[in-house]
Amino acid sequence: MPTTINRPAPDEYPDYYHGYMDLLPEGDVLFLMEKQTADLRHMFKNISDTRAEETYAEGKWTMKELLQHMIDSERIFGYRALCISRAEEASLPGWDENRYVNNSLANIRPLTNLLEEYELVKRSNMAMFKSFTAEMLSTEGIANGRRITVRGLVHVMAAHELHHMRILEERYLRRKS
């Protein structure tokens, strides 16, 4: 098994992820993902359930909803990585992130419960990624009508999470409670 997952070439993931990927620092993506888990836990350390149910602007998700979106994305991207690594030939479906959030009932869940679920899903995916061979990481499939490699998915996951952690920091946590 590879000890690191090399950064994918730009043609290994859809164009609409290029902006996210530009946020990703160079280096070991698995180490970054582990760090993101600790960083997210730290970000929510002093956030109450009431505060986590607030938005930064009209029509925007609450912090709980954003966290639920991160959980859902982690699961979906992980499922895609599993399917593609196993040479799935079927096109994997997309999803409507707003519909998922609206139907998640995230705001009635305790924040501690959401954080626990996030960490469990993340740890599960990390274990799976560490089991992939170089050949599996290079396997290409179709998700949401676009070609992507497993390596591309792993990096997109880290970049997507980085994007949302920045939103949490800049739009939710920096404003006055």
Side-chain angles (χ1 to χ4, degrees):
M1 309 298 145
T3 55
T4 60
I5 300 175
N6 296 329
R7 194 175 187 102
D11 66 350
E12 291 187 63
Y13 52 90
D15 289 345
Y16 55 79
Y17 290 124
H18 285 210
Y20 289 164
M21 295 294 276
D22 289 344
L23 300 173
L24 219 69
E26 292 298 325
D28 184 356
V29 72
L30 296 178
F31 174 79
L32 173 64
M33 293 173 102
E34 288 176 5
K35 182 178 180 323
Q36 285 175 327
T37 304
D39 290 348
L40 189 80
R41 175 62 85 169
H42 181 76
M43 289 172 86
F44 279 102
K45 184 174 68 170
N46 296 315
I47 303 293
S48 69
D49 276 293
T50 302
R51 173 75 172 91
E53 293 163 13
E54 297 173 1
T55 63
Y56 69 87
E58 184 69 30
K60 297 298 183 180
W61 294 340
T62 66
M63 283 188 269
K64 284 183 176 182
E65 289 170 331
L66 181 59
L67 181 54
Q68 183 65 64
H69 167 69
M70 292 169 72
I71 294 166
D72 291 347
S73 299
E74 182 77 21
R75 265 203 178 94
I76 291 166
F77 288 143
Y79 173 73
R80 288 175 174 180
L82 169 68
C83 291
I84 294 170
S85 75
R86 303 302 195 252
E88 177 61 63
E89 293 181 6
S91 179
L92 301 170
W95 84 96
D96 180 334
E97 63 188 31
N98 289 309
R99 179 173 287 144
Y100 274 50
V101 166
N102 291 339
N103 288 298
S104 72
L105 304 177
N107 289 323
I108 66 170
R109 295 177 62 189
L111 181 57
T112 55
N113 180 263
L114 287 163
L115 289 166
E116 178 182 10
E117 182 181 359
Y118 164 83
E119 290 177 2
L120 289 169
V121 173
K122 178 68 89 175
R123 277 199 323 261
S124 175
N125 280 339
M126 293 290 292
M128 177 176 62
F129 300 153
K130 290 174 183 177
S131 78
F132 289 159
T133 64
E135 182 178 272
M136 289 173 171
L137 290 166
S138 296
T139 304
E140 188 176 90
I142 300 174
N144 197 25
R146 306 285 196 286
R147 299 198 84 54
I148 193 163
T149 64
V150 174
R151 178 180 26 262
L153 270 165
V154 172
H155 283 79
V156 163
M157 289 172 75
H160 176 262
E161 185 153 319
L162 184 57
H163 163 75
H164 284 299
M165 289 175 74
R166 286 186 176 184
I167 288 174
L168 274 168
E169 180 67 35
E170 294 168 4
R171 299 184 189 165
Y172 292 86
L173 301 177
R174 286 193 185 159
R175 75 174 186 82
K176 302 281 187 233
S177 328

